[in-house]
Amino acid sequence: MLIASQLPACSGVGFKPVHFGDILAGHQPVGFFEVHAENYMGAGGPPHAQLGALRERYTLSVHGVGLSIGSMGSLDQEHLARLRTLCERYEPESFSEHLAWSTHGDVFLNDLLPLPYTPETLARIVEHVDEVQTALGRQMLLENPATYIRFCESTIPEVDFLAEISTRTGCGLLLDINNVFVSAKNHDTRPLPYLDSFPLDRVKEIHLGGHDEEVDDVGAPLLIDTHGSPIAEAVWTLYAEVIARTGALPTLIEWDNDVPDWPTLLAEAVAAQNILSDTSRASAA
């Protein structure tokens, strides 16, 4: 029996060491903190001292960026073993990873790269998700990607691809609403039809983050998922639409680059919590 993801249905933030002093200065109005697994795979030192203190006080989510779930090669067993050690040490309430790949042979590419949606890649990812869940003894959540290209080889819509992985493995889904918005703008589609078809009943966590607006080589608009700016109003609107359909869900504020001061980050968590609370009150009325 796998340990199910069990984050509280409220807002949380991604932990950054620069905020450690502010966080411990008093109880913070957030439901959980999330950390990137790969930042805590060493044996000790300041990272673990901070994470240990944080874990004593708050619910914890671990978010992986390096498993390369979407790779057609084998999973890195040393990486998986370090991840298992980390989860055994801190017993987080949730673990999640990306629908992406970042390795080729023994080469690690410092990015989350897209993959074609085909029966072959579907079967391979199902194997990888099963392997991770068995190794950790816990359910994992799989996050929808932000994409900038599409593959001619793809024969399965992304939403169906994610839903089938969840059906075959029992994994949950992590819905990144900024990724939905970024991908829709980049591919000249609309985000609401994507969300209409998304298996919202499988969603165990939501991510919200900022993006940059750029242009591609031919001058067309291009959005980049950077996690380095405030959440766009259009993304907040989509988030409120999703929460109105699902009810309150664990919601993480991601801000990984150009990290602001703690009050600025906390304000976004409070804004998300206000939407969650308004929805809960409306449901109870």
Side-chain angles (χ1 to χ4, degrees), residues 7-72:
L7 292 174
C10 50
S11 67
V13 299
F15 171 64
K16 295 293 177 285
V18 68
H19 297 145
F20 183 67
D22 291 307
I23 293 168
L24 262 63
H27 182 75
Q28 303 301 325
V30 296
F32 64 98
F33 284 93
E34 188 162 282
V35 298
H36 288 172
E38 287 72 15
N39 292 334
Y40 299 91
M41 287 186 172
H48 282 288
Q50 291 185 349
L51 186 55
L54 201 68
R55 184 66 179 111
E56 291 176 357
R57 296 164 173 81
Y58 295 96
T59 299
L60 180 66
S61 174
V62 171
H63 189 51
V65 297
L67 265 179
S68 198
I69 289 287
S71 172
M72 294 305 286

Side-chain angles (χ1 to χ4, degrees), residues 139-156:
Q139 180 189 46
M140 68 171 285
L141 310 183
L142 191 62
E143 178 181 343
N144 60 294
T147 57
Y148 311 95
I149 60 170
R150 285 178 168 170
F151 291 89
C152 295
E153 296 88 346
S154 291
T155 58
I156 306 172

Side-chain angles (χ1 to χ4, degrees), residues 49 72 79 89 107 121 126 141 147 158 187 192 199 221 254:
M72 294 305 286
H79 188 98
R89 181 172 184 174
V107 176
T121 56
V126 166
L141 310 183
T147 57
E158 181 175 282
H187 302 310
L192 275 178
E254 289 188 295

